[in-house]
Amino acid sequence: MVKKIWIYDNESLHSQETSKKLREKLLASGSLRTKEHQASPGLIQTQLVQDGHFEFNEESPDIVISIGGDGTMLSAFHKYETQADKIRFVGVHTGHLGFYTDFLSSQLDEVVAALKNEDPRNAVHYPLLKVKVNLDDGNSKSFYALNESTVRRGAETLVAEVNISGFIFEKFRGDGLVVSTPTGSTAYNKSIGGAVMHPQVEAMQMAEIASINNRIFRTLGSPMIVAKKDSITIIPESENELWFTIDQKEYKMTNLKEVVYSLDGHTIAFANCAHTPFWSRVRNNFIGSE
Ligand code: NAP
Ligand code: MN
């Protein structure tokens, strides 16, 4: 089976050069074999032909290789978001090994070998966060986040009610709230004191950004991990103009009624090749290797 590949690079020179090299290596990876063909009646010739393992296809790839950082993987995911259930992702990092990347740019031969042996049935799946935005006019729009989604304000504070599966949980006042996926737990969530979650835990996490706690406003104050069966709804006070974000995308909104977060079973799949154990990634990235 020929695998349809697309290489997603970013604007940096290192990413583009790595992308070009990988493309050449993938093209050159076909195996040579002999093939007999009838040149003319009575004359059979033997030819050397090259069998390709890969072809390049931007519209409907089986495998998307992101070349850059974790941020590049986020953009690659959003480019193919609507086809995410049919695609396996592979990350090649142009710096240090990140969280969504399994290879360094010095390991392109390993990437090619791993892709040849890769079996789609062994792909590793991680939960995506479903984000449904309901607007004041009754319209709504849904998104998926790979890292997180936030509701935030800048100079003034955000005031919002937080419901868990329809139950009024707290009234938040502060800079904002971050709801992250398990794989996003090492990103923004971690910077604001959220817990690092193993990516196969099927849950979402909500963490506060600078909550104000006094006699009037009282929040839990600690990050919370919410089970797959529950939803989190954030209902900002209507006069709040705010920022609503999904991974790297941000929207300034004045008509946001509420945002509903849930896990609906949609996942991102990573090709199972050279997969670095999660806790060793966490150690290497945040504590340092010995
Ligand atoms: P960026 O400003 O380059 O990202 C910030 C850092 O987060 C980069 O070092 C990035 O790694 C890293 N990162 C991204 N996803 C990660 C993950 N799942 N686990 C661990 N580290 C991760 O912007 P970006 O690269 O486009 O990434 C967007 C993300 O930045 C957002 O989704 C959010 O999580 C994060 N962010 C963090 C803060 C904060 O910590 N205060 C504030 C805003 C946004 P690479 O260098 O490999 O790309
Ligand atoms: Mn980045």
Side-chain angles (χ1 to χ4, degrees):
M1 259 287 269
V2 176
K3 289 172 181 164
K4 291 181 284 169
I5 305 267
W6 191 247
I7 305 177
Y8 184 92
D9 50 26
N10 64 30
E11 65 294 334
S12 85
L13 188 61
H14 189 180
S15 166
Q16 291 181 10
E17 282 174 356
T18 308
S19 163
K20 192 164 167 274
K21 268 191 226 157
L22 179 59
R23 193 184 166 91
E24 284 161 7
K25 281 181 189 288
L26 286 169
L27 281 173
S29 72
S31 49
L32 289 176
R33 67 177 171 86
T34 52
K35 186 184 165 196
E36 294 192 332
H37 91 125
Q38 190 137 23
S40 58
L43 177 65
I44 300 220
Q45 283 186 340
T46 307
Q47 273 186 323
L48 263 185
V49 293
Q50 183 144 16
D51 272 339
H53 294 275
F54 309 111
E55 64 182 43
F56 295 96
N57 184 320
E58 185 173 6
E59 279 70 46
S60 57
D62 302 316
I63 296 178
V64 171
I65 308 170
S66 146
I67 301 198
D70 286 329
T72 315
M73 180 61 84
L74 291 173
S75 330
F77 163 71
H78 285 292
K79 172 170 170 159
Y80 289 102
E81 192 181 324
T82 57
Q83 301 175 54
D85 56 341
K86 297 192 280 290
I87 291 177
R88 283 105 63 207
F89 289 87
V90 175
V92 177
H93 211 293
T94 46
H96 58 99
L97 203 63
F99 279 87
Y100 291 120
T101 48
D102 277 306
F103 297 94
L104 297 172
S105 52
S106 55
Q107 296 176 305
L108 298 185
D109 290 326
E110 284 92 326
V111 176
V112 176
L115 286 175
K116 274 192 196 170
N117 297 327
E118 183 261 353
D119 182 340
R121 288 168 302 184
N122 296 336
V124 184
H125 293 258
Y126 299 137
L128 294 168
L129 179 69
K130 178 162 190 198
V131 185
K132 184 165 182 241
V133 178
N134 294 324
L135 302 175
D136 289 334
D137 64 6
N139 287 320
S140 62
K141 191 165 166 47
S142 291
F143 306 83
Y144 284 96
L146 175 54
N147 264 356
E148 76 284 290
S149 167
T150 76
V151 179
R152 286 189 257 170
R153 290 194 89 198
E156 288 179 275
T157 53
L158 169 78
V159 180
E161 187 182 287
V162 177
N163 289 3
I164 311 282
S165 292
F167 155 77
I168 301 176
F169 182 72
E170 63 184 13
K171 180 82 163 267
F172 176 88
R173 181 167 197 149
D175 284 9
L177 290 161
V178 176
V179 181
S180 74
T181 62
T183 52
S185 70
T186 45
Y188 200 169
N189 170 73
K190 184 175 183 298
S191 306
I192 52 171
V196 170
M197 288 166 75
H198 190 282
Q200 280 167 329
V201 175
E202 284 189 293
M204 56 190 155
Q205 180 166 188
M206 184 178 83
E208 302 176 346
I209 319 172
S211 61
I212 299 170
N213 271 285
N214 55 29
R215 278 170 303 171
I216 301 154
F217 292 97
R218 187 134 301 273
T219 60
L220 183 64
S222 69
M224 54 201 274
I225 292 170
V226 174
K228 192 180 173 186
K229 69 177 180 64
D230 284 320
S231 62
I232 301 174
T233 306
I234 297 176
I235 310 164
E237 279 196 353
S238 56
E239 66 271 25
N240 283 178
E241 181 190 63
L242 47 80
W243 289 104
F244 160 68
T245 74
I246 305 271
D247 297 334
Q248 299 144 321
K249 275 180 273 168
E250 57 185 25
Y251 305 87
K252 192 167 202 167
M253 316 227 3
T254 49
N255 57 345
L256 188 148
K257 180 167 166 268
E258 59 182 21
V259 192
V260 186
Y261 296 106
S262 60
L263 298 174
D264 67 354
H266 276 80
T267 56
I268 182 169
F270 288 93
N272 186 16
C273 37
H275 207 69
T276 315
F278 177 71
W279 293 113
S280 103
R281 262 176 223 269
V282 173
R283 188 195 154 86
N284 290 342
N285 276 274
F286 295 117
I287 303 173
S289 42
E290 275 176 49

